[in-house]
Amino acid sequence: MAILPILVAPDPRLKQKAVPVAAVDERIARLMDDMLETMYDANGIGLAAPQIGVPERVIVVDVRERDQPANPIQMANPEIIMASEELAVCEEGCLSVPEQYAEVTRPRSVRVRYLDKQNEIREIEADGMLGVCIQHEIDHLNGTLFVDRLSLLKRNMIMRKLQKQQRLKASA
Ligand code: GNR
Ligand code: NI
């Protein structure tokens, strides 16, 4: 397993659409494990392959509560096959937009079809934090960041703050 560096916006690789995997083979299974290790190391609850510079449709999530045992889900080619009409607002952050947070509106629950680590087709119904996180990760596969779902004004504000913060960090 390996901990990989996470790309930070405005890296152009975060804007590209990722391609489906042909199957979950040994290479993809290894990628899933490296992503999980990278996510845990960064204290994230989700990670998408484009965030580590891999343009393939693979995501990992673990939204367990504090003090609960690990509960990782690793998915290839995740697809939202149903979304509730009802919406919900959640405060989101992103490892690729570090230390910036904003309220994002999304469907309250989604039904997702994906390939698991054994290359088996699976479906889950996800709401709450799991639903938010899976939708956030699938957005990454389509080159979309949570800030792209905000008003232009809010997005520009966050991106300016992020770039200022990154400049300060680089000169520290
Ligand atoms: O760690 C993360 N926390 C988070 C909080 C609210 C909504 C979405 C997320 S996902 C984020 C990790 C990340 O950037 N995944 O792409
Ligand atoms: Ni993210």
Side-chain angles (χ1 to χ4, degrees), residues 45-145:
I45 60 171
L47 191 73
Q51 292 180 277
I52 53 163
V54 175
E56 297 183 85
R57 301 187 80 80
V58 177
I59 68 174
V60 297
V61 302
D62 187 341
V63 299
R64 75 179 184 280
E65 306 276 309
R66 253 160 37 95
D67 312 323
Q68 291 299 113
N71 185 25
I73 310 179
Q74 296 164 300
M75 305 183 177
N77 302 346
E79 266 185 277
I80 294 172
I81 55 174
M82 245 169 29
S84 64
E85 273 184 48
E86 194 187 348
L87 306 177
V89 179
C90 181
E91 171 111 322
E92 297 196 20
C94 181
L95 295 171
S96 296
V97 191
E99 290 163 56
Q100 312 301 321
Y101 304 90
E103 288 191 336
V104 180
T105 304
R106 300 181 184 275
R108 176 177 291 283
S109 73
V110 288
R111 186 158 190 88
V112 180
R113 183 178 296 153
Y114 64 98
L115 290 173
D116 70 11
K117 204 176 160 195
Q118 281 71 46
N119 197 42
E120 308 274 0
I121 296 181
R122 295 239 223 167
E123 276 183 30
I124 55 165
E125 181 102 15
D127 59 11
M129 208 57 217
L130 180 62
V132 171
C133 191
I134 290 174
Q135 293 180 71
H136 174 116
E137 302 316 331
I138 292 176
D139 268 357
H140 277 296
L141 301 181
N142 295 324
T144 299
L145 300 174

